[in-house]
Amino acid sequence: MNQQLAVLETVLKHFYQSPSPEPQLVAGILYSIQAGGKRIRPLLLLDLLEGFGLKISQEHVKVAAALEMIHTGSLIHDDLPAMDDDDYRRGQLTNHKQFGEAAAILAGDSLFLDAFALLAQADLPATQLVELTQALSLASGTYGMVGGQSLDMRSEGQTLTIEELQRIHENKTGRLLHFPFLAAGVLLELDVESRELLDSLGKNLGLAFQVRDDILDVTASFQELGKTPNKDEIAQKATYPAIFGLEEARGILAELLDQIHQQITALEAKGFQGAVLKERIEGLAIGS
């Protein structure tokens, strides 16, 4: 994992080494993209490729890095006063607190667009690049993360059904976590059955991650989260603990993780080496 992270960080840093007409914009971008974080989305993609026996190349890492750029841009925008209005992210001041709101908006905009420039630089078959570009765009925009964020903002203070809550989570958080599983199917040129299994696994993981995030918002400290806790409750957001209670939310998470474990086992029957992925998934479990 350390080697994967080192190459990922190098690719991200290298993209912004070319002279820019606005160095201050680049400084703002690097402030957020180099702020740490678990890098779970890009690492999931690399885990999947390695698990199926594919030798990781710089081109694969560019796909993973493009995903991380989209994710980081979304965090910058999520933290803005008009959105979640947070002062800290990954243990440091949020981008708009450090550089101002306008600069933060532009840094997020750049990351959303730069991701596709980096993806286009990957020396991969043209058919794969087209499929990956479409998948990442759909996961990020109106039909994915941004659409889910819009639903989330409009749901504040409302009583939602479980179906409505799940629709928000599937898009706002789930789609970017789902992308590594779609991308792996493309890069590995897997059969339809394997792709469908990866698709279902990715959807379950995306939902599990958000349920976990909901739980941690009401149980973890600032030091553990790297951001302000209890923000969802204060904003009257629809979350799993708010609708089901904390203990049932824990049960839902445990059930999802069990389903994910079974799906990884099914992939192992098709030749996938799942030990690393299982270990990463187990890290999402929350003690009582």
Side-chain angles (χ1 to χ4, degrees):
M1 185 178 72
N2 289 336
Q3 185 177 2
Q4 289 180 349
L5 276 172
V7 178
L8 179 67
E9 301 303 329
T10 299
V11 167
L12 288 167
K13 183 177 180 180
H14 182 266
F15 183 86
Y16 289 105
Q17 284 185 338
S18 299
S20 166
E22 172 45 322
Q24 186 62 30
L25 173 62
V26 174
I29 291 169
L30 292 177
Y31 175 82
S32 289
I33 207 144
Q34 294 179 336
K38 296 176 181 177
R39 308 294 201 208
I40 189 168
R41 291 155 188 81
L43 288 177
L44 280 171
L45 174 55
L46 301 180
D47 288 344
L48 289 165
L49 298 181
E50 287 193 325
F52 276 104
L54 186 65
K55 182 177 175 60
I56 300 297
S57 72
Q58 185 103 335
E59 313 316 310
H60 300 133
V61 177
K62 287 176 182 177
V63 179
L67 173 60
E68 184 65 17
M69 290 164 80
I70 295 280
H71 174 58
T72 301
S74 76
L75 299 182
I76 293 173
H77 282 188
D78 279 357
D79 292 332
L80 289 166
M83 303 287 274
D84 289 346
D85 192 16
D86 214 328
D87 293 345
Y88 293 94
R89 171 71 67 174
R90 293 173 171 170
Q92 66 180 26
L93 286 173
T94 47
N95 198 288
H96 70 276
K97 283 293 180 180
Q98 185 75 13
F99 297 97
E101 287 183 44
I105 291 169
L106 293 172
D109 289 345
S110 283
L111 282 164
F112 293 144
L113 298 169
D114 292 344
F116 291 98
L118 177 58
L119 180 59
Q121 291 174 12
D123 186 13
L124 295 167
T127 53
Q128 289 189 358
L129 282 177
V130 170
E131 197 169 348
L132 290 168
T133 299
Q134 180 187 46
L136 185 56
S137 179
L138 289 174
S140 305
T142 304
Y143 301 98
M145 176 194 67
V146 176
Q149 178 71 4
S150 180
L151 284 171
D152 185 53
M153 297 297 295
R154 292 196 298 104
S155 73
E156 291 181 5
Q158 298 183 22
T159 301
L160 301 184
T161 65
I162 181 57
E163 291 78 17
E164 290 170 329
L165 176 61
Q166 194 163 333
R167 190 177 306 117
I168 292 171
H169 287 348
E170 282 176 352
N171 288 283
K172 179 185 175 184
T173 302
R175 291 298 297 276
L176 288 188
L177 281 157
H178 185 202
F179 174 80
F181 296 84
L182 297 177
V186 173
L187 292 168
L188 292 160
E189 300 181 330
L190 296 177
D191 59 80
V192 173
E193 183 182 351
S194 296
R195 286 199 187 198
E196 288 177 349
L197 187 52
L198 281 174
D199 181 71
S200 179
L201 172 55
K203 287 177 179 177
N204 278 337
L205 179 61
L207 183 57
F209 196 89
Q210 183 57 57
V211 175
R212 179 181 187 272
D213 195 59
D214 286 353
I215 294 169
L216 289 177
D217 184 71
V218 296
T219 62
S221 66
F222 172 83
Q223 287 73 23
E224 292 169 312
L225 292 175
K227 60 181 180 178
T228 309
N230 297 309
K231 292 284 291 184
D232 292 342
E233 184 177 1
I234 293 169
Q236 296 183 296
K237 286 184 179 289
T239 66
Y240 275 80
I243 291 178
F244 294 103
L246 184 57
E247 289 312 306
E248 189 167 348
R250 290 181 188 273
I252 291 170
L253 175 60
E255 184 176 339
L256 282 167
L257 293 178
D258 184 60
Q259 290 178 25
I260 290 166
H261 190 278
Q262 292 177 32
Q263 289 171 318
I264 296 174
T265 300
L267 283 173
E268 288 177 325
K270 298 172 76 65
F272 179 66
Q273 300 298 310
V276 173
L277 182 59
K278 282 181 176 177
E279 184 178 351
R280 201 179 298 285
I281 299 305
E282 286 168 3
L284 298 178
I286 296 176
S288 58

